[in-house]
């Protein structure tokens, strides 16, 4: 389990290369933030677009807020139990409101397990267990009647090993972002005839 802050991807994967259900080289699965909420800056140099069907709608004076936090919980009884703890989780804080400390940098962080399991570097998810995660955006002010467009892709990818599945998942996340950035106008679907 982890988060790739470079591409706003929270994901889960098998710690071993063999799974009772998926077999050898089990897939990785994740949620990639394609478009986060917009905030008004009033600066004409800030522009962002969103897709309305296959048409781009440009907003001048706005920028994306980006992914603000990703908190991952193991099956250890430390997941949020009430509204206050849930609010802290989406803000990237521990249940009691204190920041998480990345043990590799000894710095506060709002992105839990942001290391890279493929290279074995950084803050990695310890052991093997089920996990849950929150992805947060904010702070953000909205008035009554305001709307926001948030686009998230749920993706799955299978590589040649459990760790290569993470690499393939990252590639798939980038492909999903590219498709969105092109408003899906260049999506190619191929059909291979297997038999008559």
């Amino acid at each position: 389990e982890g988060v790739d802050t470079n591409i706003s991807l929270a994901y889960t994967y098998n710690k071993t290369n063999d799974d009772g259900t998926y077999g050898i080289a089990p897939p990785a699965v994740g949620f990639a933030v394609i478009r986060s909420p917009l905030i008004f800056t009033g600066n004409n140099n800030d522009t962002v677009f969103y897709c309305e069907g296959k048409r781009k709608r440009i907003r001048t004076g706005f920028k994306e807020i980006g992914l603000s936090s990703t908190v991952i919980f193991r099956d250890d009884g430390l997941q949020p139990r009430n509204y206050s703890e849930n609010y802290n989780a989406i803000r990237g804080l521990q249940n009691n409101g204190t920041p998480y400390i990345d043990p590799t940098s000894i710095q506060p962080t709002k992105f839990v397990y942001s290391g890279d399991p493929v290279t074995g570097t950084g803050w990695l998810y310890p052991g093997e267990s089920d996990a849950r995660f929150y992805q947060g955006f904010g702070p953000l002010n909205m008035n009554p009647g305001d709307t926001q467009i948030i686009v998230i892709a749920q993706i799955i990818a299978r590589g040649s090993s459990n760790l290569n599945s993470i690499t393939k998942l990252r590639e798939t996340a980038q492909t999903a972002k590219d498709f969105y950035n092109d408003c899906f106008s260049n999506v190619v679907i191929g059909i291979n005839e297997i038999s008559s």
Side-chain angles (χ1 to χ4, degrees), residues 19-91:
D19 181 81
T21 302
Y22 296 102
I24 302 296
V29 64
F31 291 87
V33 178
I34 307 296
R35 272 298 172 273
S36 66
L38 306 181
I39 56 171
F40 179 73
T41 65
N43 183 340
N44 287 337
N45 292 326
D46 291 332
T47 61
V48 69
F49 75 89
Y50 60 93
C51 295
E52 196 173 83
K54 290 191 173 193
R55 297 179 57 193
K56 283 187 180 182
R57 297 288 184 200
I58 296 175
R59 303 281 310 264
T60 301
F62 287 83
K63 69 177 183 177
E64 281 190 78
I65 198 166
L67 184 61
S68 306
S69 65
T70 300
V71 176
I72 301 170
F73 299 99
R74 300 182 302 176
D75 267 347
D76 54 10
L78 296 179
Q79 50 267 37
R81 298 165 299 213
N82 56 48
Y83 73 89
S84 167
E85 291 178 357
N86 273 299
Y87 181 63
N88 285 332
I90 62 174
R91 293 187 307 150

Side-chain angles (χ1 to χ4, degrees), residues 13-26:
Y13 67 101
N14 273 52
K15 295 290 180 166
T16 62
N17 199 38
D18 192 3
D19 181 81
T21 302
Y22 296 102
I24 302 296

Side-chain angles (χ1 to χ4, degrees), residues 2-11 30-36 64-70 111 133 135-137 151-153 155 170 173-174 177:
V3 58
D4 187 327
T5 57
N6 294 320
I7 56 174
S8 299
L9 170 69
Y11 59 90
F31 291 87
V33 178
I34 307 296
R35 272 298 172 273
S36 66
E64 281 190 78
I65 198 166
L67 184 61
S68 306
S69 65
T70 300
F111 297 96
F133 57 83
Q135 290 176 297
F137 309 99
V151 181
I152 297 176
I155 53 179
R170 290 173 175 153
Q174 188 56 56
K177 289 177 188 239

Side-chain angles (χ1 to χ4, degrees), residues 7 32 34 153 155 167-182 184 186-188:
I7 56 174
I34 307 296
I155 53 179
T167 300
K168 295 297 182 187
L169 188 75
R170 290 173 175 153
E171 293 169 3
T172 303
Q174 188 56 56
T175 299
K177 289 177 188 239
D178 292 344
F179 283 152
Y180 185 85
N181 288 337
D182 202 25
F184 305 101
N186 288 321
V187 176
V188 177

